[in-house]
Amino acid sequence: MKLVAIVSPCGGVGRSMLSAALADALHRRGHPVLAIDCDPHNDLALHLGATARPQRGFLAAISDGSDWRETALANSDGVQFVPAGAAGDDLASACAVALGADPEGLRSRFDVGEWQDDAIVLVDTPSLPSRLAAQVAAVADRVLAVLGADPISFGGIARTEALRPGQVHYVVNGFEPNRPLQNDIRVLLRRELGERLAPYAVHRDGSVADALARNRALLADAPASQAAADLQLLASWLLRALDVTA
């Protein structure tokens, strides 16, 4: 199993959208993939085609000691995911406490069991600062931080680096190349992060919102769009980082 923690230093950068899109891209390439939502906003399911947020999910299951695998769902394309479920910040905190009770066995709490030994598990975590995000990042094979090309995201790098100093990888989402400030910030990010910054930014693209409105995956709804091309490149980059054959 390859465990990927997807984090962000702040909200509003499209972390859940990117988590869902990467799960879809990897699934379409034939990789066994499971997306788990640990964010109490419970948005991941919507990005995977659900018309309403599921009521039962990962956070409550971990908190009450039940099997979260029983809350797993699959969308019409066959992408399997576990919603966060109807939850608030209190339940997310309770989940963090439950996970923290067994720090040595924390990684095993995300084990997909007999489903697939070689599964790629993408975990959409709450925005930082978050104890739950820090716990997942500590045991992940890769930590992928989603940034906007904006001063708030840039200012949050120190907070993100504290998760795994020198080991976090980054991707810019919602990039608008016609805005000079965003280009300048991307240059600064490259200087600061070097090869840990994905060479492919995901561009801001109206096709993303259109696909969401139609309850369809971007790669199915607008496969020729700029964002779809960016996501395919990002999926390949992530597979190389995980040492998984594309």
Side-chain angles (χ1 to χ4, degrees):
M1 183 183 77
K2 299 289 188 180
L3 184 64
V4 181
I6 303 181
V7 305
S8 64
C10 54
V13 295
R15 184 193 62 253
S16 294
M17 181 282 290
L18 202 65
S19 299
L22 281 173
D24 180 66
L26 295 173
H27 172 74
R28 290 174 188 276
R29 296 183 184 205
H31 294 283
V33 60
L34 177 69
I36 299 177
D37 194 355
C38 286
D39 187 342
H41 287 117
N42 199 20
D43 287 339
L44 184 70
L46 300 180
H47 289 287
L48 285 167
T51 56
R53 291 177 173 87
Q55 293 298 297
R56 180 71 178 166
F58 184 85
L59 296 181
I62 289 292
S63 299
D64 64 24
S66 57
D67 189 351
W68 60 261
R69 298 166 191 83
E70 295 178 358
T71 70
L73 303 169
N75 69 6
S76 59
D77 294 313
V79 180
Q80 300 196 58
F81 65 97
V82 177
D89 291 336
D90 289 344
L91 191 54
S93 297
C95 179
V97 170
L99 289 173
D102 181 22
E104 293 185 0
L106 178 57
R107 183 182 169 93
S108 67
R109 301 296 292 273
F110 293 91
D111 197 330
V112 294
E114 298 178 357
W115 176 54
Q116 285 282 357
D117 290 337
D118 57 347
I120 300 172
V121 180
L122 307 177
V123 183
D124 181 21
T125 69
S127 302
L128 299 173
S130 162
R131 179 182 177 185
L132 186 51
Q135 288 171 307
V136 180
V139 297
D141 295 290
R142 278 289 181 273
V143 181
L144 179 62
V146 183
L147 305 174
D150 58 66
I152 294 177
S153 285
F154 187 80
I157 289 177
R159 179 190 302 149
T160 311
E161 281 292 289
L163 295 172
R164 297 266 291 268
Q167 298 181 52
V168 181
H169 289 70
Y170 296 80
V171 59
V172 172
N173 190 36
F175 181 60
E176 299 176 82
N178 60 333
R179 298 183 61 180
L181 176 61
Q182 291 207 11
N183 283 288
D184 291 345
I185 290 177
R186 194 178 178 198
V187 170
L188 290 174
L189 288 170
R190 176 62 68 192
R191 290 177 181 171
E192 180 82 12
L193 302 170
E195 295 302 313
R196 289 191 291 130
L197 178 66
Y200 320 106
V202 179
H203 290 71
R204 185 171 297 281
D205 189 334
S207 298
V208 175
D210 291 345
L212 180 61
R214 297 185 185 108
N215 296 115
R216 300 190 67 200
L218 176 66
L219 296 181
D221 194 62
S225 65
Q226 178 64 63
D230 297 335
L231 286 164
Q232 292 283 24
L233 290 169
L234 184 63
S236 295
W237 176 78
L238 179 61
L239 288 171
R240 290 194 296 272
L242 293 171
D243 195 25
V244 175
T245 303

